[in-house]
Amino acid sequence: MRMMLALGAILSLACVSAGEAPSNYQTYHGGIRADSDPVVLATYERVLDRCEPEAYSWRRGSPNPNSTPYWLALRNCLYRHGFVDRGVYAYPTTAVLRHFLDR
């Protein structure tokens, strides 16, 4: 049982989306893609400039930009500022099952 719990925790952290491209994010209210509107894109860039230092800190994330704690901290900060991952593209496992989940 402990081994299954450990395996589940490792797999959940391994499947974190590692993209900060504006096309991967949408606004929380309205679902507007971050790269579809110049005003939303400018807001996304400001929020990203604010969230990256927080994700680089040891307190929230990691100084290694390729690490899981960095991406989790970055996604957490972006979510707090109103930007969320775009549905089925947020995790690789849901991208495989996207046709099943759309039903």
Side-chain angles (χ1 to χ4, degrees):
M1 185 66 170
R2 290 181 185 162
M3 190 168 78
M4 292 299 286
L5 180 65
L7 181 64
I10 290 169
L11 287 176
S12 68
L13 291 176
C15 294
V16 172
S17 174
E20 64 182 53
S23 61
N24 290 343
Y25 289 92
Q26 67 185 17
T27 59
Y28 181 74
H29 302 287
I32 301 169
R33 282 181 44 173
D35 64 345
S36 65
D37 183 17
V39 175
V40 176
L41 182 61
T43 305
Y44 173 80
E45 294 293 335
R46 274 196 318 272
V47 169
L48 187 62
D49 289 341
R50 183 178 208 163
C51 290
E52 281 182 332
E54 181 180 319
Y56 278 121
S57 71
W58 279 110
R59 187 173 156 255
R60 290 270 187 181
S62 170
N64 180 7
N66 296 322
S67 68
T68 301
Y70 171 83
W71 290 111
L72 291 174
L74 184 65
R75 288 180 63 194
N76 184 16
C77 182
L78 288 170
Y79 186 77
R80 280 195 326 261
H81 290 284
F83 290 96
V84 295
D85 272 333
R86 294 181 49 221
V88 297
Y89 303 107
Y91 297 98
T93 54
T94 55
V96 172
L97 302 172
R98 73 175 157 242
H99 299 296
F100 177 74
L101 295 174
D102 288 340
R103 295 179 186 176

